[in-house]
Amino acid sequence: MKYIPISSKQIAYVSYDAQSSQMHIQFHTGQSHVCNNIDQEQVQRLIQSDNPYDLVMRLTQLQQVSNIQTT
């Protein structure tokens, strides 16, 4: 599992499991959120991003839209 620190007041870090294609977002509050179907290209963009917080938020929004469309 790869851990990616996020400089944010809300998010402590993001971890990525390549085998399951899951991104785990760990918040400073202790809560966590799992995004499925995240590929390595998206994680690479996150690592290289000047603003990783915004990218994480976009990925979670896309995940929510995807879940709504499949139900």
Side-chain angles (χ1 to χ4, degrees):
M1 190 166 295
K2 177 181 257 179
Y3 290 89
I4 306 162
I6 304 292
S7 298
S8 162
K9 291 180 183 178
Q10 291 85 14
I11 299 174
Y13 63 88
V14 170
S15 58
Y16 178 69
D17 184 348
Q19 289 187 341
S20 65
S21 298
Q22 289 183 328
M23 181 176 71
H24 299 256
I25 304 167
Q26 184 64 47
F27 294 91
H28 288 293
T29 62
Q31 294 180 317
S32 62
H33 179 77
V34 177
C35 294
N36 296 303
N37 302 318
I38 303 295
D39 61 38
Q40 296 218 358
E41 181 182 312
Q42 291 169 308
V43 173
Q44 201 57 33
R45 278 188 279 160
L46 177 64
I47 292 168
Q48 296 172 346
S49 175
D50 291 336
N51 193 346
Y53 176 81
D54 283 349
L55 187 54
V56 168
M57 291 298 99
R58 269 189 256 133
L59 289 172
T60 58
Q61 288 172 343
L62 288 174
Q63 182 78 44
Q64 290 171 354
V65 169
S66 176
N67 287 341
I68 290 169
Q69 291 176 350
T70 58
T71 55

